[in-house]
Amino acid sequence: MKLNELLGTKYPLIQGGMANIATGEFAAVISNAGALGLIASGSMDGEAVREQIRNCRAKTDKPFGVNIMMMNPHLEEISKVVIEEKVPVVTTGAGNPGKYIAEWKAAGIKVLPVAPTVALAKRLERNGADAVIVEGTEAGGHVGDLTTMALVPQVVDALSIPVVAAGGIASGRQVLAAFALGACGVQVGTCLLVSEECPIHENYKKAVLKAGDTDTVVTGKISGGAPVRCIKNKMTREYVAKERAGAKPEELEEYTLGSLRRAVFDGDTSTGSVMAGQVAGMCNEVKPAKEIIENLFAECKTAYEKLDV
Ligand code: TUI
């Protein structure tokens, strides 16, 4: 099935969740550009999500979604708010949403969970997901171990529902590659961080613009906590040093408390978590979101015509 048919979009592209960044207003910008904008509910409570849904609706009549982070302490509340507010699409991340899928589906919501493995993707298909978003470890933020290149075709082969590719996509060539791997669309985050409308601190945007191919690192791999990909800085260096020295998960958690907010709102790119994917190295220019999205599909077409196989 075509992703545009499932979501009611013009472009088969979903904006990544991006906790603390993707407000209702930003999601509306992306939806108005013809893709699917998402409100990132991150660690918001139910009423904050409701407010963002209403803000989004005030700015667009196009389909949009809410991304639900499964580690959110207000998960139960949010799972009800998306039903009450008749949100068209829900995506999930950082956990298994299996037990919520039936009630969301019964409310007419399209459900697209992120799966970092074939096993979870299969389970989610059995639970009734409309499609799965397969996110490779190239992505920014919380990540699994497998790459987009290796994981997407394995999930495509194992499932009958549509698969959306995420992680490592910031150009038309990568969109084309995702389709070649059997995906029906893409999810992108990092390339939208450098959109004019993205409501992050200027310093965060500059850090992404400046980053090269080797400038991101995954913290939390050694300690067995939640692995998170960020742009390398003082925080990631100290975090990894603490992990190597055998720091306890609680100590590490306390160390990063509020670190994403510090980067997003205060522009503290030294002790903050500047979450971004490996493609930060190719996001070198600030442009309107609409132009970024249109360029991805125009470039995809040119790259297809130029394929020399
Ligand atoms: O969720 C994301 N990316 C995120 S969430 C986030 S907020 C956060 N900050 C610090 C620590 C943890 C979270 C920042 N970035 N991407 C989607 C994603 N989902 N990546 C990996 C997963 C995932 C992992 C395990 C999905 C399901 C899963 O299931 C495990 C299980 O229960 O079977």
Side-chain angles (χ1 to χ4, degrees):
M1 191 192 193
K2 293 230 183 245
L3 192 62
N4 286 334
E5 283 165 26
L6 179 67
L7 303 176
T9 48
K10 176 177 176 196
Y11 296 111
L13 183 142
I14 302 174
Q15 164 230 313
M18 303 194 289
N20 285 320
I21 297 175
T23 56
E25 193 172 346
F26 184 66
V29 167
I30 303 301
S31 290
N32 285 332
L36 188 83
L38 291 184
I39 296 162
S41 58
S43 55
M44 285 179 196
D45 65 16
E47 289 317 302
V49 177
R50 197 188 305 280
E51 191 185 335
Q52 293 303 320
I53 293 169
R54 294 183 177 176
N55 291 348
C56 184
R57 281 217 162 96
K59 306 247 164 173
T60 189
D61 54 3
K62 301 277 190 307
F64 67 96
V66 171
N67 170 258
I68 302 183
M69 213 267 286
M70 301 308 290
M71 292 193 229
N72 186 335
H74 309 285
L75 176 59
E76 284 299 324
E77 239 179 280
I78 294 175
S79 75
K80 294 191 172 50
V81 168
V82 292
I83 295 172
E84 289 159 11
E85 294 294 321
K86 302 186 168 48
V87 166
V89 179
V90 161
T91 72
T92 66
N96 181 355
K99 71 173 212 188
Y100 299 96
I101 295 180
E103 50 187 303
W104 289 335
K105 296 277 308 163
I109 300 175
K110 300 277 189 283
V111 183
L112 291 86
V114 166
T117 60
V118 171
L120 185 60
K122 282 168 88 167
R123 194 141 30 113
L124 293 165
E125 177 176 49
R126 283 199 301 277
N127 290 335
D130 291 282
V132 290
I133 303 167
V134 170
E135 189 178 282
T137 194
E138 299 94 320
H142 178 48
V143 289
D145 287 327
L146 299 168
T147 60
T148 303
M149 186 78 146
L151 183 59
V152 172
Q154 295 188 63
V155 175
V156 168
D157 287 349
L159 268 56
S160 343
I161 56 173
V163 173
V164 177
I169 303 172
S171 71
R173 285 163 292 159
Q174 290 156 323
V175 173
L176 178 61
F179 279 102
L181 296 175
C184 66
V186 294
Q187 175 175 282
V188 298
T190 304
C191 66
L192 295 174
L193 286 175
V194 297
S195 63
E196 269 171 18
E197 299 90 341
C198 187
I200 49 175
H201 195 284
E202 222 30 53
N203 296 350
Y204 195 132
K205 224 171 258 190
K206 282 190 184 135
V208 178
L209 292 167
K210 209 176 103 208
D213 58 343
T214 61
D215 285 335
T216 69
V217 64
V218 178
T219 57
K221 260 192 160 168
I222 304 169
S223 57
V228 173
R229 183 178 299 282
C230 294
I231 293 180
K232 290 175 186 168
N233 62 5
K234 180 166 181 274
M235 184 280 293
T236 65
R237 279 190 293 277
E238 287 184 5
Y239 190 106
V240 174
K242 281 177 192 286
E243 276 187 294
R244 290 208 174 109
K248 293 196 180 67
E250 310 87 75
E251 188 193 334
L252 292 166
E253 205 178 309
E254 195 179 317
Y255 179 67
T256 50
L257 213 62
S259 62
L260 178 58
R261 298 183 67 85
R262 274 203 300 283
V264 173
F265 299 116
D266 308 339
D268 179 351
T269 53
S270 168
T271 77
S273 289
V274 189
M275 295 186 187
Q278 289 182 333
V279 289
M282 58 200 291
C283 299
N284 305 321
E285 213 185 326
V286 175
K287 290 192 209 113
K290 186 165 187 282
E291 206 175 307
I292 296 175
I293 294 164
E294 286 170 355
N295 284 349
L296 284 177
F297 289 93
E299 272 173 34
C300 173
K301 196 155 183 286
T302 327
Y304 177 69
E305 284 155 5
K306 282 194 348 201
L307 267 188
D308 185 18
V309 288

